[in-house]
Amino acid sequence: VDSRWLVNGQPTGVDPRDRGLAYGDGLFETMAARAGDIRWLDWHFDRLEEGCRRLQIDAPARSVVERDISALCPTTGDHVVKLIVTRGPGGRGYRPPDATCPTRIVGISSWPDYPASYYTSGIRVQICELRLGQNPALAGLKHLCRLEQVLAQLELRSGDAQQGLLLDTDGRVVSGTSSNVFAVLGAQLVTPSLSRAGVKGVSRRAVLTAARELGIDAQERDLTLPELLAADALFMTNALVGIWPIASIDGQVFDTGATTRRLMRHLGYGYES
Amino acid sequence: VDSRWLVNGQPTGVDPRDRGLAYGDGLFETMAARAGDIRWLDWHFDRLEEGCRRLQIDAPARSVVERDISALCPTTGDHVVKLIVTRGPGGRGYRPPDATCPTRIVGISSWPDYPASYYTSGIRVQICELRLGQNPALAGLKHLCRLEQVLAQLELRSGDAQQGLLLDTDGRVVSGTSSNVFAVLGAQLVTPSLSRAGVKGVSRRAVLTAARELGIDAQERDLTLPELLAADALFMTNALVGIWPIASIDGQVFDTGATTRRLMRHLGYGYES
């Protein structure tokens, strides 16, 4: 099966009036399932519920989503589980109806087989020309309005990079096209604060937690491109891949370094394949 | 009938994998139909096709969309016609598949009966706290990523304003929540240039064209909030309502003025009900 979906628990299509489609009025989570168990499931729910709160959408009960996942996800092998929650159908125009009935969509698809070299040697990164707009009201959320990321990915078509590096309109480093970015600067681990743009990744939270457990000084703060390019080592994270060291940015080469390897080992990445 | 829809010409639901839903990866048009004829239809197609070009989506043939509209839209009375074009289903992650098959969705709904006073006395406008992010790559397009507008509309829930006024993150005036804004400044008609944020409305184009026909000096340029609030008269436009004079912004009162009335008369608004 390439992919299977449930819309509010039913194997049907989505209402064409759904506000998720009409206005990007919703949120999503992309999760890694191993033998039917989802890694960091509670943290995915935490982020979803925080997003629902900020967008004033009623979050679905965790138990209901877990039931959908159980109904779809095989109990053997690795799979990708995607959850979309929208404000639901209705309302002509941007104004939501006073009473809305959120839509939940759960989909399962096959696991992408990433080359082992992405873990052992690292990935190639290209700096995207597209700059991310800044909006504190939406920053950090994994909402459905992702055209910036789509346009950034289209830039990568012509090259051989695995991720694009995204800067905001003031030139600050934000993230990868579908990942968060970390820089090892001496004894410090630094990742952008994401208060104006970007998505606060669940794997980013996992790395920050791991750093605390390992006694690594980790900072969330603004990061300029020159600072990033002067780092001792760099890596990118997302919930599917975990941690990928950055081998190069626009041709400038980086070593993986001991801190990245420690974090990978702690979180169990890159030593399995 | 409250609303009727065709998805790629069929009365079915939308594929849950559609990129319009997943990433806001598409565009839309909202159009006014009178007795089955759509006002400014060519200009709606122009904007859609410009958007498709900039997003690298294959635009549907105008004839195919017109066939969908004919199949759904009654030939008597006023209706709202909505067209959504997405990049189509497929691709895990932001990167579009190499070959995509765009989705077209056409929906018809009943005409909103706006009070006559919105035309004769004008509307109340509230300045939104939400600021629009800036992204020249997306500015001007009527793309599906509209969470900013949804959040702005949520701000209006507690007040009695018909439109919100949206500023960008640098405080420049951009637009109404679902309209463009024009200021009469002495002999000049000014509307924001929309090179960094906002949607280039079809009715905005109609007003700029009408101004040219009437010999009114019309400018597209940056506009600050103090400039706007010092205007002799203000109005808002969209493809459904046409032209609404602004009666007040956060309580500051404005007269309609001769220029606004001339444009309304020229375009046939406000003298019918």
Side-chain angles (χ1 to χ4, degrees):
Chain A
V1 188
D2 185 43
S3 75
R4 294 190 303 157
W5 294 80
L6 291 175
V7 177
N8 291 329
Q10 302 298 317
T12 62
V14 176
D15 188 326
R17 297 165 305 176
D18 196 277
R19 296 177 60 90
L21 173 68
Y23 306 126
D25 194 2
L27 300 148
F28 71 109
E29 295 290 331
T30 307
M31 304 177 273
R34 167 159 294 182
D37 285 327
I38 291 177
R39 186 160 205 191
W40 301 318
L41 180 59
D42 283 346
W43 289 356
H44 283 290
F45 278 130
D46 286 351
R47 179 173 61 180
L48 178 76
E49 289 164 7
E50 158 77 0
C52 284
R53 192 187 59 70
R54 282 173 59 188
L55 299 184
Q56 302 176 44
I57 293 173
D58 291 330
R62 295 186 180 200
S63 60
V64 173
V65 173
E66 290 183 87
R67 200 196 308 143
D68 289 344
I69 295 171
S70 298
L72 284 180
C73 192
T75 53
T76 58
D78 295 343
H79 294 84
V80 177
V81 176
K82 182 159 180 172
L83 167 64
I84 297 175
V85 173
T86 81
R87 200 182 303 272
R92 219 205 37 69
Y94 300 128
R95 183 170 197 154
D98 291 329
T100 54
C101 185
T103 303
R104 74 177 189 281
I105 302 171
V106 173
I108 310 286
S109 54
S110 54
W111 184 259
D113 279 317
Y114 304 111
S117 68
Y118 292 178
Y119 295 93
T120 54
S121 311
I123 56 168
R124 284 180 299 275
V125 173
Q126 171 185 326
I127 302 173
C128 291
E129 290 188 20
L130 179 129
R131 295 287 175 269
L132 296 174
Q134 299 177 53
N135 193 328
L138 296 174
L141 302 185
K142 203 168 171 82
H143 57 70
L144 296 173
C145 296
R146 294 292 155 205
L147 255 178
E148 291 180 319
Q149 283 72 19
V150 173
L151 290 181
Q153 274 289 352
L154 285 173
E155 286 185 43
L156 301 189
R157 269 191 170 163
S158 51
D160 65 352
Q162 280 80 45
Q163 285 279 310
L165 181 71
L166 292 168
L167 312 180
D168 69 21
T169 44
D170 289 321
R172 283 180 293 252
V173 174
V174 178
S175 65
T177 35
S178 58
S179 59
N180 286 115
V181 63
F182 286 80
V184 180
L185 295 161
Q188 257 192 8
L189 183 66
V190 177
T191 193
S193 52
L194 308 184
S195 55
R196 302 178 202 89
V199 176
K200 287 197 175 168
V202 158
S203 57
R204 176 181 180 274
R205 181 172 171 183
V207 166
L208 290 170
T209 304
R212 221 167 21 240
E213 289 164 2
L214 294 169
I216 298 168
D217 176 17
Q219 305 273 333
E220 300 173 60
R221 63 163 172 87
D222 285 351
L223 193 65
T224 66
L225 183 59
E227 271 185 294
L228 189 85
L229 295 177
D232 300 302
L234 297 163
F235 60 88
M236 284 177 156
T237 65
N238 81 29
L240 297 190
V241 309
I243 295 177
W244 278 345
I246 293 180
S248 66
I249 298 182
D250 280 3
Q252 182 184 335
V253 174
F254 294 88
D255 284 331
T256 300
T259 302
T260 307
R261 278 200 211 91
R262 261 180 94 196
L263 287 162
M264 290 176 78
R265 202 175 307 120
H266 189 76
L267 290 169
Y269 286 107
Y271 296 87
E272 306 170 302
S273 45
Chain B
V1 189
D2 185 42
S3 76
R4 294 190 301 157
W5 295 80
L6 291 176
V7 178
N8 291 328
Q10 301 297 318
T12 60
V14 176
D15 188 325
R17 296 165 305 175
D18 196 277
R19 297 176 60 89
L21 173 68
Y23 306 126
D25 193 3
L27 299 148
F28 72 110
E29 295 290 331
T30 307
M31 303 177 274
R34 166 159 294 181
D37 284 327
I38 290 177
R39 187 161 205 190
W40 301 316
L41 180 59
D42 284 345
W43 290 356
H44 283 291
F45 278 130
D46 286 351
R47 179 174 61 182
L48 178 75
E49 289 164 5
E50 158 77 1
C52 283
R53 193 187 59 70
R54 282 173 59 187
L55 300 184
Q56 302 175 44
I57 293 173
D58 290 330
R62 295 186 180 200
S63 60
V64 172
V65 174
E66 289 183 88
R67 199 196 309 144
D68 289 346
I69 294 171
S70 298
L72 284 181
C73 191
T75 52
T76 57
D78 295 344
H79 294 84
V80 177
V81 177
K82 182 159 181 174
L83 167 64
I84 297 175
V85 173
T86 81
R87 200 183 303 274
R92 220 204 37 69
Y94 300 128
R95 183 169 198 155
D98 291 329
T100 55
C101 186
T103 303
R104 75 177 187 282
I105 302 171
V106 173
I108 311 286
S109 54
S110 54
W111 185 259
D113 279 317
Y114 304 111
S117 68
Y118 292 179
Y119 294 94
T120 53
S121 312
I123 57 167
R124 285 179 299 275
V125 173
Q126 171 184 326
I127 302 173
C128 292
E129 290 187 20
L130 179 128
R131 295 286 176 268
L132 296 174
Q134 299 177 52
N135 193 327
L138 295 174
L141 301 186
K142 203 168 172 81
H143 56 70
L144 295 173
C145 295
R146 294 292 154 204
L147 255 178
E148 291 181 319
Q149 282 73 18
V150 172
L151 290 181
Q153 274 289 352
L154 286 173
E155 287 185 42
L156 302 189
R157 270 192 169 162
S158 52
D160 65 352
Q162 280 80 45
Q163 285 279 311
L165 181 70
L166 292 168
L167 312 180
D168 70 21
T169 44
D170 289 321
R172 282 179 294 252
V173 174
V174 178
S175 66
T177 35
S178 58
S179 59
N180 286 115
V181 63
F182 286 79
V184 181
L185 295 162
Q188 257 192 9
L189 183 66
V190 178
T191 193
S193 53
L194 308 183
S195 55
R196 304 179 201 86
V199 176
K200 287 198 174 165
V202 158
S203 56
R204 176 181 180 274
R205 181 172 170 184
V207 166
L208 290 171
T209 303
R212 222 169 18 243
E213 289 163 2
L214 294 170
I216 298 167
D217 176 17
Q219 305 273 333
E220 301 174 59
R221 64 164 171 85
D222 285 351
L223 193 65
T224 66
L225 183 59
E227 271 184 294
L228 189 86
L229 296 177
D232 300 302
L234 296 164
F235 60 88
M236 285 178 156
T237 66
N238 81 30
L240 297 189
V241 309
I243 295 176
W244 278 345
I246 294 180
S248 67
I249 297 183
D250 279 5
Q252 182 184 335
V253 174
F254 295 88
D255 285 330
T256 300
T259 302
T260 307
R261 278 200 212 92
R262 261 180 94 195
L263 288 162
M264 290 176 78
R265 203 174 307 120
H266 189 75
L267 290 168
Y269 285 107
Y271 295 88
E272 306 170 301
S273 45

